[in-house]
Amino acid sequence: MATEKENRKKTGNSGKNSKKRKHYLPYNKPVKKGAYPLRPGVEGFFITCEGGRESRAAHEAINVIESFYEELVGSPESKDEQSELPKKPMNKVTKFTYSDSSSDDGNDDDDYDEDVSNDQTDIKGKSEDISSKDSVSELDVKTEDSETGDADVVEPPLKKPHVESEQTKEQHKSVDKLIEEELAEMGDRSKRRFLKVDTGCNGVIFIQMCKKEGDPGPKEVAQHMMTSLASTKKHVSRFLLRLLPVEITCYTSEDEIKRAIKPLISKYFPEETDTPHKFAVLYDARANTGIERSKVIDAVAKSVSSIHKVDLAKPDIYITVQIVKTLCLIGAVEKYKELAKFNIRQLTSPDQ
């Protein structure tokens, strides 16, 4: 009987421990896809980060990209204010002429001293007259008070209560309406400029850019960000590692890549040009082992016109190809190696 009880205790304890282990240990759990997964036809920024910090890195990336986007575009209100303000203070020296005759400096100084002395005597005489008049008026007031007796005490006027006018009420209402509109825009996902999109892959986040006509694209924003960070060495992020612009998102088949890459090739590698470019293809794959690297690189390189040549040593433009599961993310960057391969942490780290 004792042996059966001991076996039950052992099995019961092992069951409880196994449940606790399953509950508290987070490994062997699939990455949950959010409500907005990555899909074809999206442009934005492909960002690598520390594993397990995807949500924090996404919020940080939106703030960083938004700040550099505003810096690149520039607000028109600040430009108008700067144009209205004078660049230098207008410090002008004013000279007073006391005589029309063109006399020497010494004579002018003497005349000025005489005028000052005369003015001072006049001011003294006026002050004496005013003081005598004040003393006489005080005596008259005292005699009147003695004759009349106790005079009525004059009470100070009561302050009127502050009543808000209709204009101030309308202003308060308008401010409240503006705040409500801004909160509604922040809540409305369709009106945001930068959105978080779930990739379903550890250590990788994607920030979608809702581009309008006339706005700079992901390449311009990323290029401006990297050049400014390289010059200032300002630490702007805690979790972000590498940031690459993405202008084309499609499936990983060769036919889809050849079809989707045509707008990017016509934009950066025109067929009729006097200045051909040198280019190279950068390939990287995550969570996908079924596609061959050489086939993807050949599909991208063959879609470029023969006028432009491949140069792996010093290319003018790098075509970046990132494979994430079943999707292919394509973009173009310049000065890739000079800007530390677009690694934010390496750009902002001090030179050793």
Side-chain angles (χ1 to χ4, degrees):
M1 295 294 290
T3 57
E4 290 180 359
K5 290 181 179 179
E6 289 177 358
N7 292 329
R8 286 177 184 177
K9 289 180 181 179
K10 289 180 181 179
T11 54
N13 292 330
S14 62
K16 291 180 182 178
N17 292 330
S18 62
K19 287 182 181 179
K20 287 182 180 179
R21 287 175 183 173
K22 288 179 181 178
H23 180 70
Y24 288 106
L25 294 178
Y27 60 84
N28 293 331
K29 285 188 177 181
V31 179
K32 295 181 180 179
K33 286 188 177 182
Y36 301 94
L38 186 61
R39 61 191 184 279
V42 175
E43 62 179 349
F45 302 91
F46 172 85
I47 304 170
T48 59
C49 64
E50 297 178 358
R53 303 295 180 93
E54 288 83 5
S55 60
R56 293 185 182 181
H59 292 295
E60 188 180 56
I62 290 173
N63 294 330
V64 172
I65 295 168
E66 185 76 31
S67 63
F68 280 101
Y69 177 84
E70 291 177 357
E71 184 181 340
L72 178 62
V73 175
S75 60
E77 294 178 358
S78 62
K79 291 181 180 179
D80 294 338
E81 290 177 358
Q82 291 178 359
S83 61
E84 289 177 0
L85 294 173
K87 294 181 180 179
K88 294 183 179 179
M90 302 297 290
N91 295 328
K92 293 184 179 180
V93 179
T94 57
K95 295 181 180 180
F96 299 96
T97 58
Y98 295 93
S99 62
D100 296 333
S101 61
S102 59
S103 60
D104 297 334
D105 296 335
N107 296 330
D108 293 338
D109 295 336
D110 295 337
D111 295 337
Y112 176 71
D113 295 335
E114 290 177 0
D115 294 336
V116 171
S117 61
N118 292 330
D119 293 337
Q120 289 177 355
T121 53
D122 294 337
I123 291 167
K124 287 180 181 179
K126 290 179 181 178
S127 62
E128 290 175 357
D129 295 337
I130 292 166
S131 62
S132 61
K133 289 179 181 179
D134 293 336
S135 61
V136 171
S137 61
E138 288 176 358
L139 291 171
D140 295 338
V141 170
K142 288 180 181 179
T143 54
E144 288 177 358
D145 292 337
S146 62
E147 291 175 357
T148 55
D150 296 333
D152 296 333
V153 179
V154 180
E155 295 180 357
L158 297 173
K159 293 183 179 180
K160 296 181 180 180
H162 179 69
V163 179
E164 292 185 353
S165 61
E166 294 181 357
Q167 293 181 355
T168 55
K169 289 181 180 178
E170 288 179 358
Q171 288 178 357
H172 288 302
K173 287 181 181 178
S174 62
V175 171
D176 294 337
K177 287 180 180 178
L178 290 172
I179 293 170
E180 289 177 359
E181 289 177 358
E182 288 182 359
L183 292 173
E185 287 182 359
M186 291 173 66
D188 190 0
R189 192 177 177 87
S190 62
K191 293 183 179 180
R192 297 180 192 175
R193 185 179 290 114
F194 300 104
L195 307 172
K196 174 189 172 183
V197 178
D198 294 324
T199 59
C201 188
N202 292 326
V204 175
I205 59 176
F206 188 88
I207 304 300
Q208 180 183 355
M209 181 178 180
C210 300
K211 183 182 173 184
K212 298 179 182 179
E213 293 183 359
D215 293 344
K219 178 182 178 295
E220 288 79 8
V221 177
Q223 205 76 36
H224 171 69
M225 183 190 301
M226 296 303 159
T227 51
S228 62
L229 290 177
S231 60
T232 59
K233 299 290 182 181
K234 183 180 178 181
H235 185 72
V236 295
S237 67
R238 183 180 175 187
F239 306 107
L240 307 182
L241 297 176
R242 179 172 283 112
L243 184 145
L244 294 173
V246 175
E247 299 186 31
I248 293 169
T249 307
C250 63
Y251 289 109
T252 53
S253 64
E254 296 181 20
D255 297 333
E256 285 289 329
I257 292 171
K258 290 179 182 179
R259 182 186 61 80
I261 203 173
K262 288 181 180 179
L264 186 140
I265 298 300
S266 62
K267 181 179 179 180
Y268 297 107
F269 303 99
E271 294 182 358
E272 297 179 358
T273 179
D274 296 332
T275 57
H277 297 293
K278 300 175 184 178
F279 71 95
V281 180
L282 301 174
Y283 176 87
D284 195 5
R286 289 175 176 83
N288 190 331
T289 56
I291 190 168
E292 294 183 7
R293 178 174 181 272
S294 59
K295 290 183 178 180
V296 175
I297 293 174
D298 290 340
V300 174
K302 289 179 180 179
S303 59
V304 181
S305 178
S306 59
I307 300 173
H308 309 280
K309 302 297 181 182
V310 177
D311 189 355
L312 302 178
K314 293 181 179 180
D316 300 326
I317 299 174
Y318 289 85
I319 301 174
T320 60
V321 179
Q322 299 290 330
I323 305 295
V324 180
K325 290 192 172 182
T326 59
L327 293 175
C328 179
L329 314 177
I330 305 173
V333 295
E334 298 176 4
K335 298 180 180 180
Y336 181 74
K337 292 182 179 179
E338 291 84 352
L339 295 173
K341 298 181 179 180
F342 279 53
N343 193 315
I344 297 174
R345 185 170 293 180
Q346 289 183 5
L347 277 175
T348 55
S349 62
D351 296 330
Q352 296 180 357

